[in-house]
Structure formats: C-alpha cells, structure tokens
Amino acid sequence: MTPVARALIPCGGKGTRMAGLSGGHAKELLQIAGVPLVLRVMEECAKSGIDEVMIASAPGKSDLESAVRAAAGTAGMPGHVEVRVQQEPRGLADAIRYGRDFAGASPLAVALPDNLFVGDAPAISQLIDCHHSTGKSVVAIAEITAANKDRYGPTAVFPGRLQGDEFVIERIPGKGSRSKTFDLGGAASAFTGVGRYVFRPDVFAAIDQVESTLPSGMELDDIPVMQLLLQRSLLTGCLLRGDFLDVGIPAGYLEAQERFQGK
C-alpha cells in the first residue's frame, strides 16, 4: 500500500464564521493557546508521518504564506510546505483539486483548518490506518451527542454502522437547509463527517465528473464527490478516537483554548 506522505490544508475560503475572532488577519492564523491554528494542523500532519504539505490559500493572505513557510522544517513541523493560491473560493472540492499534481499517483490527506482533534493518536494517522486496512478513501466520522451538540456547526447525519473503528457509510445526505448547530433529529447521538480525509488518486477524476454536471460558476462542493465515491464503493468512514473541536464557532474555539493549554 502506498504511504500517505502528502497533505493539503484548504485555506482559501471566505471564513465568515471566524471573521470576528481573527482581528483582520487570515483566519487560519487565529491563535489557539498561543499557536496559530494552521500550525496546529501542520503539527498534526507531521505527527501522522506527513512531511510534505500544500496550503491552498486565497489572494491577499501574505501573512498566512509567511507563517507557514517560516514554520517548514522547524521542530515538530513538516519539512516541506508549498503554497498555491485559489483565485476564487469555489468550494472544497475545487480546493482539493489544487492538490492533483502535488499528490501525483499517491493518496492525499486533506485537513480543514477550523477543525482540531484531541486524542491519543492524531486524527490523520487514524484515517491513514483505515485507508491502509480498507484500500478506500476515508472521511473522518465523529459521534455527536445531545449533551455536546451545541459545540458544533451544522452538518448532516451520516447513516451507517460501525465495524470496529471503520464506519460503513450507508448514505451521505446533501447539504440542504441547516440549523445553526448540529441537529440530532431527536436521537441521543448521531454520526457526521468532519474535516479530515484521505483520498485515493481517483478522487480527482470524480471531482472532474461532478463539475461536468454543474452549471457554470456553481460551487464545487465535496459532498457530491463523496456521494459519487460512495456509490462506487470507494469511500468509507473512520470513527475518530478522541474529541473533535469545531473552532469555527465560539463554543468550540473556547474549548480548544482550554484543551490545548500547555500543548
């Protein structure tokens, strides 16, 4: 099995959820216990055995580019960081496509910068293990409970079943209309996909196929791409061992500040 040695961190979005916290700087430079958010994610990549990272940035984020380039090769960071500018924020799948040449014929990890994880093993490394055991592309799965649902932004419930740490996804719902927080639909808990992925190289053909069906200029989102991969039996889920922190909303940001103190 080809090792997962490269990761892409999408930083090209508008980031309206975090705009009030970032003080006018790139939202990915928001400090979490004194360390910029993007460097927290790069550190997770390094701990997962990934030494090459691409930042899919946006125009005007020179402060972000300076920070990640300065961090490359320092203690606890990947050795190589490449920056590419996504001229328009056309959606997550479009950002992922920027990694096509970077990944080549190898799998590509993708880590969203507004999600952090606390656990015994880095989230990306858990997905890499699942990818190696199943041979499929993998999306991180978190279990959200009635007690903690207000700490997370709105995502869809993924129906499925657990087989050890693998979450066999039965269906990926479309985005549709969303409430302000995660909607359990009256259940005590439910499962959802969160911002870590490992994609096989065939994800890029799937992105191209989805784009060919869209009206010109429409957002190229990750959900229809994952739906296509699932339809072809090329995608599965990995239930994360540890806690998922959504720093894009105030409650998750405050929790992350507390949990990462001293780390």
Side-chain angles (χ1 to χ4, degrees):
M1 183 70 66
T2 305
V4 182
R6 298 178 177 89
L8 181 142
I9 303 175
C11 298
K14 296 177 181 178
T16 54
R17 294 199 308 161
M18 301 165 67
L21 298 172
S22 59
H25 297 287
K27 62 185 176 62
E28 297 83 9
L29 295 180
L30 182 70
Q31 299 272 322
I32 302 296
V35 178
L37 182 55
V38 68
L39 299 191
R40 293 285 186 191
V41 179
M42 286 172 55
E43 181 182 43
E44 180 188 333
C45 291
K47 288 180 177 178
S48 300
I50 292 173
D51 197 48
E52 297 182 53
V53 169
M54 172 180 279
I55 306 295
S57 187
K61 289 190 174 183
S62 58
D63 51 352
L64 171 65
E65 181 170 353
S66 296
V68 299
R69 290 193 185 281
T74 62
M77 290 288 155
H80 174 77
V81 176
E82 185 173 325
V83 179
R84 287 199 61 186
V85 175
Q86 185 184 14
Q87 293 297 331
E88 297 181 8
R90 286 197 55 218
L92 178 55
D94 183 59
I96 292 170
R97 190 166 53 180
Y98 274 63
R100 188 195 303 258
D101 294 338
F102 176 67
S106 300
L108 179 69
V110 175
L112 303 192
D114 55 357
N115 291 171
L116 293 178
F117 299 86
V118 179
D120 293 337
I124 294 173
S125 70
Q126 295 179 48
L127 267 66
I128 291 172
D129 289 345
C130 187
H131 165 70
H132 286 161
S133 65
T134 64
K136 298 182 178 182
S137 292
V138 184
V139 56
I141 301 292
E143 184 176 14
I144 311 297
T145 68
N148 66 18
K149 69 179 183 65
D150 291 338
R151 300 206 299 268
Y152 305 109
T155 57
V157 171
F158 282 27
R161 66 186 188 279
L162 283 170
Q163 291 183 178
D165 289 333
E166 181 185 2
F167 184 82
V168 180
I169 304 167
E170 296 175 358
R171 182 173 59 87
I172 299 176
K175 281 191 171 179
S177 61
R178 299 286 179 83
S179 60
K180 292 184 179 180
T181 56
F182 188 78
D183 184 5
L184 289 166
S189 69
F191 299 93
T192 188
V194 293
R196 297 291 184 273
Y197 314 81
V198 170
F199 287 116
R200 295 164 23 133
D202 50 19
V203 69
F204 300 111
I207 292 172
D208 291 343
Q209 182 173 343
V210 168
E211 183 180 40
S212 71
T213 68
L214 299 176
S216 177
M218 186 173 177
E219 181 176 285
L220 186 54
D221 192 57
D222 60 311
I223 294 295
V225 174
M226 291 196 295
Q227 289 170 334
L228 181 59
L229 293 176
L230 184 64
Q231 178 186 335
R232 295 174 174 173
S233 300
L234 297 175
L235 179 75
T236 192
C238 174
L239 181 65
L240 292 177
R241 303 183 305 276
D243 295 331
F244 157 53
L245 308 176
D246 183 353
V247 300
I249 62 175
Y253 167 74
L254 293 173
E255 183 178 6
Q257 292 285 18
E258 180 180 343
R259 298 290 296 274
F260 277 86
Q261 286 295 334
K263 291 182 181 293

